[in-house]
Amino acid sequence: MKRKIILFFSVAFIALQLMSQVEIPEPPPKIIKPNPNKEKQNSEEITNKETKQTDIEKREASKVIFKNKDFLSGMLVSADKEMIEWKSEYLISSAKFYLNAVEKIEFPSSNCENEKYSITLINGDVISGEIISLNEERLVFQTIYAGKLNIPKKYLSSIYNPKKEGIIYKGPKEGDTEWVKVQNVSSQCRIVDDVMLIPRNSAAAIEISNNDLFKVSFEAPLSAMINIGVFANAPAMYNAGGYMIGINNNYVYIQSMSKRGGGRNLGNAQIEDLPDKAYIKYTILANRKNSSFTFMVEDRIIQKISDPNNKNNENGKFLVISYNHGAFREIKIKNILISEWDGLEDDNVEVNEKISSDMVFFTNKDKASGKLVEIKNNEVSFKTDFALLKIPEDRIAKIKFATSDNHTEIKSIGKPLVISKFLDKDQITLSLISIEDGFITAENPIFGKAKFSLNYCSSLIFNEMPDNPKQKQIDDSEENENTVPIMPIPVEEIK
């Protein structure tokens, strides 16, 4: 028996050794087929999460400015018709402020170059987007910040394609060769990081020789005392002829300059209600043939000059921007745009000229008058006295609609009124309903109620805020009737 047991274990031991030397093939790897829909979904989720995080970070870099010029950085959480809720890393908890104490809210710049058209309404609102369709009743317009808007045609003032404008110069950009050397100055201007730097007692000059009608716009510091030379005969600060527009804070004066020195005063004006921001937009609409131009600040007409009997400026081909004296060692000029002009003033300024019929302006400078019938499938139907024209959209630079008296038909919207700016260029008048979750819910007097994304909003300017009786509870001072108290009210105390 003992031998049998020993034999059994010996055989078992040998068998185990033999088994350990046998290679057992591994099972084939399991092939996992990729799911493109799931991968796409995961990618979209990551993208949406990153975009949402970026949007929140941008809104957190906002600033609220009060009517007494106090300001706080942070983030707009929510708002209604009476109050805004504001969050800041420098506050223990979010605070609420009465709207009648707030002047405006500024958001980080957000531009979009893909908007094909800009439309102007008869109340001055400007909206950018894509035309879905237009008939005799209404325009269906797709925007990036408010979705689809239905706008009655009778309230349209113009449709404009910014990409079809005849651009003469757009900049400044490093390496630009259009700017010429200015005579009799100690130092020349230079371009750094897409900004024109003009030293004190110096100037920047550019030649505009092939266009009798042109439009100039640029941004400059509000506190800078600058001169703008129009139709100058030479790239010089003095003795260059033409006209000189002098800007000194909120005053402007205009002179007709002699080539031999000296000038003739043509008028002056005060620039009222300037926005509280570092850079101000200046615009000049120039007509060289009849020696006339319109000077605008922030798209508002400040002064019109017409000097048709002055024949000395017909050959003046230089635009000169000079910085004579001031607190800065040098000033910064940016967003310079010089373009062809159709001779009509912008729609968002007061215009006395009335148009009896619709007008279409082609990209080759042709034009026709009549009635716009329809825009559909990238084709424009325009009826004239001689024919019904079928025009490809991309051949049209601008459409102006016949001047109407429909202003009286625009319905009144409630307060508080808000001038909202989107994409750094659009401007829409709104009656605020609420702000929450990154969207503004508001009503426009022309196209009604809509939701607007804060991600594309540049600023909200509050206007004609109603008096709030609760405000009197924290109004302890009447020393200055123009000062509005801005004491924050903890959220938990407001019911």
Side-chain angles (χ1 to χ4, degrees):
M1 183 68 182
K2 187 175 180 181
R3 288 180 179 179
K4 289 181 179 181
I5 293 173
I6 293 172
L7 180 63
F8 173 79
F9 281 107
S10 298
V11 172
F13 178 75
I14 294 170
L16 287 173
Q17 283 186 325
L18 291 173
M19 288 177 65
S20 64
Q21 296 176 2
V22 177
E23 294 184 0
I24 301 175
E26 295 182 0
K30 186 177 179 181
I31 300 175
I32 302 175
K33 295 182 178 181
N35 186 340
N37 293 329
K38 188 172 182 180
E39 289 182 1
K40 182 180 179 181
Q41 182 180 356
N42 292 338
S43 176
E44 288 178 351
E45 287 177 357
I46 293 172
T47 302
N48 292 337
K49 187 176 180 181
E50 291 175 348
T51 302
K52 188 174 181 181
Q53 182 64 29
T54 302
D55 293 340
I56 292 175
E57 289 174 355
K58 285 174 62 178
R59 294 208 305 273
E60 286 177 344
S62 306
K63 181 167 68 173
V64 58
I65 301 172
F66 300 94
K67 289 184 177 178
N68 69 349
K69 305 307 177 186
D70 288 353
F71 59 88
L72 285 173
S73 58
M75 175 180 175
L76 176 61
V77 178
S78 64
D80 56 26
K81 293 184 177 182
E82 293 185 351
M83 291 185 167
I84 68 167
E85 181 179 350
W86 192 260
K87 178 183 177 182
S88 172
E89 61 178 316
Y90 296 99
L91 300 176
I92 295 176
S93 60
S94 59
K96 285 194 173 184
F97 306 100
Y98 289 108
L99 270 185
N100 63 347
V102 177
E103 180 177 302
K104 67 177 176 179
I105 299 174
E106 294 180 344
F107 302 92
S109 177
S110 179
N111 204 346
C112 179
E113 299 294 338
N114 296 325
E115 302 305 291
K116 188 174 181 181
Y117 290 101
S118 286
I119 62 171
T120 305
L121 308 182
I122 61 175
N123 68 341
D125 286 357
V126 179
I127 309 171
S128 297
E130 296 277 346
I131 296 174
I132 297 177
S133 65
L134 186 148
N135 55 34
E136 294 189 2
E137 294 296 325
R138 66 184 58 253
L139 166 69
V140 181
F141 200 64
Q142 183 74 36
T143 70
I144 194 172
Y145 50 78
K148 190 183 297 182
L149 300 176
N150 291 282
I151 302 170
K153 181 186 173 185
K154 64 182 180 180
Y155 296 132
L156 294 175
S157 179
S158 73
I159 298 175
Y160 175 55
N161 187 342
K163 295 183 179 179
K164 296 297 181 181
E165 66 182 348
I167 295 178
I168 301 171
Y169 172 82
K170 186 176 183 180
K173 300 285 184 183
E174 292 186 50
D176 284 350
T177 58
E178 292 88 347
W179 298 94
V180 299
K181 187 175 181 180
V182 179
Q183 301 171 5
N184 303 321
V185 295
S186 57
S187 57
Q188 299 292 326
C189 62
R190 54 198 176 95
I191 299 173
V192 179
D193 296 331
D194 298 340
V195 173
M196 175 75 72
L197 300 177
I198 304 178
R200 192 186 295 117
N201 297 320
S202 189
I206 189 170
E207 182 176 341
I208 310 173
S209 57
N210 297 323
N211 302 84
D212 288 326
L213 293 171
F214 58 90
K215 176 180 177 180
V216 179
S217 65
F218 63 90
E219 295 181 10
L222 171 62
S223 55
M225 289 176 273
I226 62 175
N227 291 330
I228 308 169
V230 185
F231 310 142
N233 289 274
M237 292 178 62
Y238 308 106
N239 303 338
Y243 297 94
M244 183 70 73
I245 304 171
I247 304 169
N248 188 344
N249 292 321
N250 63 334
Y251 284 93
V252 57
Y253 55 90
I254 299 175
Q255 291 181 310
S256 174
M257 307 303 293
S258 170
K259 297 178 184 179
R260 301 174 182 176
R264 174 168 53 94
N265 186 37
L266 296 178
N268 55 74
Q270 183 175 2
I271 308 173
E272 298 179 348
D273 301 323
L274 278 172
D276 183 20
K277 60 181 186 179
Y279 285 83
I280 299 296
K281 179 184 176 183
Y282 299 106
T283 304
I284 300 168
L285 307 177
N287 186 331
R288 194 193 328 262
K289 279 189 174 179
N290 62 10
S291 294
S292 67
F293 59 89
T294 298
F295 176 65
M296 297 189 292
V297 177
E298 291 292 315
D299 294 324
R300 290 186 293 118
I301 291 179
I302 302 301
Q303 194 84 325
K304 290 184 178 182
I305 295 298
S306 181
D307 194 19
N309 296 323
N310 188 346
K311 302 300 181 182
N312 296 325
N313 301 314
E314 290 183 348
N315 298 320
K317 58 184 180 179
F318 289 97
L319 173 78
V320 182
I321 304 173
S322 61
Y323 174 45
N324 296 346
H325 56 86
F328 304 104
R329 182 173 58 86
E330 57 187 9
I331 60 168
K332 299 178 180 180
I333 306 293
K334 61 182 185 178
N335 295 331
I336 304 172
L337 178 63
I338 305 173
S339 60
E340 298 173 353
W341 177 44
D342 57 15
L344 299 172
E345 290 170 344
D346 285 1
D347 300 294
N348 54 344
V349 298
E350 297 179 6
V351 181
N352 296 323
E353 180 184 2
K354 291 190 176 182
I355 301 175
S356 59
S357 60
D358 298 343
M359 296 186 68
V360 58
F361 297 86
F362 295 83
T363 54
N364 69 343
K365 310 308 175 189
D366 288 352
K367 66 179 180 179
S369 59
K371 183 178 180 181
L372 179 63
V373 178
E374 183 182 46
I375 299 179
K376 188 177 181 180
N377 298 328
N378 299 320
E379 184 179 277
V380 178
S381 298
F382 194 83
K383 186 178 181 180
T384 69
D385 291 339
F386 51 85
L388 176 64
L389 305 179
K390 297 286 187 177
I391 312 167
E393 263 189 36
D394 60 2
R395 300 299 175 89
I396 293 178
K398 188 173 186 178
I399 298 170
K400 286 187 69 71
F401 293 89
T403 306
S404 69
D405 296 322
N406 292 323
H407 293 81
T408 56
E409 298 181 18
I410 298 177
K411 67 177 182 178
S412 175
I413 57 176
K415 297 179 180 180
L417 295 179
V418 180
I419 305 299
S420 54
K421 292 198 172 184
F422 295 90
L423 303 177
D424 294 334
K425 57 186 177 181
D426 291 6
Q427 178 173 301
I428 306 175
T429 305
L430 299 173
S431 174
L432 179 64
I433 297 175
S434 66
I435 299 177
E436 56 184 346
D437 299 328
F439 285 90
I440 307 167
T441 302
E443 185 177 6
N444 179 269
I446 290 177
F447 55 79
K449 185 178 178 181
K451 291 185 74 172
F452 304 82
S453 172
L454 279 176
N455 296 331
Y456 299 98
C457 186
S458 308
S459 66
L460 297 174
I461 304 172
F462 297 90
N463 184 32
E464 299 184 31
M465 297 295 105
D467 292 333
N468 192 312
K470 295 180 182 179
Q471 182 73 35
K472 296 179 181 178
Q473 299 175 11
I474 60 171
D475 188 3
D476 297 325
S477 173
E478 297 182 357
E479 294 180 2
N480 187 347
E481 60 185 13
N482 295 322
T483 301
V484 182
I486 61 163
M487 184 183 299
I489 305 170
V491 174
E492 58 270 14
E493 292 185 10
I494 297 180
K495 299 181 181 180

